[in-house]
Amino acid sequence: MKYTISGQTLNLTNASEESFSVSFAWPISKVVTFKSVLVVLLNYSSKVIFNENVFGVNGDGTIIWQISANPSIYENSPYINIGSEVGKAMLYNWSGFSLTVKPSTGEVLLRTAGK
């Protein structure tokens, strides 16, 4: 899939050359591409508690999953970075936790404490 980011909007073109747009409540910080899913990290505001700021978007622009808040000692601990490793999505939150996630479903495969 090809994509561009315009503030809070993800514009994508799938393998069939169909174009779709997805708008989010917050600006998009980063996107990681997998075979049939884009994993999207939203910017966060320290003024609002929003710890569920990672989404999976499929080729027709449908949000197919949203990560749930990770248990934390801090009330406000949004995800601050995402990446990929061997076909899995890696999510890192402000508290130092990392999650290994199945990109197609958002299923958490491994939860690791950092810091």
Side-chain angles (χ1 to χ4, degrees):
M1 275 182 279
K2 299 176 201 168
Y3 69 89
T4 59
I5 299 169
S6 179
Q8 298 173 208
T9 303
L10 177 67
N11 302 298
L12 60 102
T13 304
N14 64 21
S16 302
E17 296 298 318
E18 297 171 303
S19 296
F20 301 93
S21 293
V22 183
S23 292
F24 293 93
W26 301 97
I28 298 167
S29 175
K30 187 174 182 180
V31 176
V32 177
T33 305
F34 293 90
K35 183 177 179 182
S36 60
V37 175
L38 299 174
V39 176
V40 179
L41 172 68
L42 303 185
N43 278 333
Y44 55 92
S45 169
S46 60
K47 297 175 184 174
V48 176
I49 296 173
F50 182 51
N51 297 329
E52 302 85 12
N53 61 322
V54 180
F55 297 81
V57 178
N58 70 12
D60 68 5
T62 301
I63 297 172
I64 55 173
W65 58 265
Q66 179 180 2
I67 199 67
S68 57
N70 196 36
S72 174
I73 59 171
Y74 304 105
E75 182 180 29
N76 194 8
S77 186
Y79 291 90
I80 57 172
N81 198 9
I82 58 175
S84 82
E85 189 173 301
V86 194
K88 310 267 188 313
M90 304 299 297
L91 285 52
Y92 306 94
N93 79 357
W94 188 84
S95 300
F97 283 93
S98 64
L99 300 181
T100 302
V101 174
K102 188 174 180 178
S104 60
T105 64
E107 174 189 358
V108 175
L109 304 172
L110 180 65
R111 189 180 317 262
T112 307
K115 292 186 181 179

